[in-house]
Amino acid sequence: MTDCLFCKIISGKIPAKKVYEDEKAFAFEDINPQAPTHVLIVPKKHVIGIDQATEADAELVGYCQLVAAKIARERKLEHGFRTVYNVGPDAGQTVFHLHLHLLGGRQMHWPPG
Ligand code: AMP
Ligand code: ZN
């Protein structure tokens, strides 16, 4: 999608600190990190968000979780980490290209804010 921030990051039109890439997914450092590790994992396919995803996107939705776990292993987040899909305004979703937050490197709080 031409007018999408994360599609532009995936295609290299907007710079980002790339963490991981394969044929299905792209991961980069969040520009406003909320933890020592804050990486966004996005499918290369433009999917708007979890609420708009269909069964055809099921593999991608889960695949992003596996990429997050791989990055967490590489960063030795053995004490734990959190993965989050924000959905809609109440959850603070601001970018409408599916993205999984990987947060780690500090104690997480529950319930989240
Ligand atoms: P969300 O609020 O769940 O939609 O998450 C969007 C995330 O994208 C936020 O954590 C932002 O800090 C992050 N973000 C926005 N613009 C950029 C950018 N150009 N590069 C990296 N991360 C970004
Ligand atoms: Zn997009």
Side-chain angles (χ1 to χ4, degrees):
M1 197 190 179
T2 51
D3 197 25
C4 167
L5 174 63
F6 286 178
C7 282
K8 286 179 183 163
I9 286 177
I10 292 164
S11 67
K13 284 184 192 134
I14 291 180
K17 287 187 191 161
K18 183 166 90 173
V19 172
Y20 175 86
E21 181 175 13
D22 65 23
E23 69 282 2
K24 287 185 282 200
F26 191 93
F28 52 98
E29 302 284 353
D30 195 293
I31 204 167
N32 182 23
Q34 301 301 311
T37 284
H38 188 171
V39 173
L40 301 175
I41 300 102
V42 306
K44 287 188 168 173
K45 179 185 169 193
H46 180 87
V47 176
I48 294 173
I50 290 287
D51 52 344
Q52 303 286 323
T54 68
E55 280 190 28
D57 304 314
E59 195 207 334
L60 278 180
V61 170
Y63 188 71
C64 288
Q65 296 278 5
L66 296 181
V67 171
K70 182 183 169 67
I71 295 167
R73 276 194 298 276
E74 283 170 5
R75 296 198 173 192
K76 306 199 183 319
L77 298 177
E78 58 265 348
H79 291 293
F81 58 90
R82 185 169 288 166
T83 58
V84 179
Y85 281 121
N86 286 326
V87 183
D90 275 3
Q93 185 180 4
T94 56
V95 178
F96 294 88
H97 177 130
L98 186 74
H99 54 281
L100 182 67
H101 295 258
L102 166 64
L103 296 147
R106 67 165 170 83
Q107 179 67 52
M108 299 290 155
H109 306 291
W110 194 263

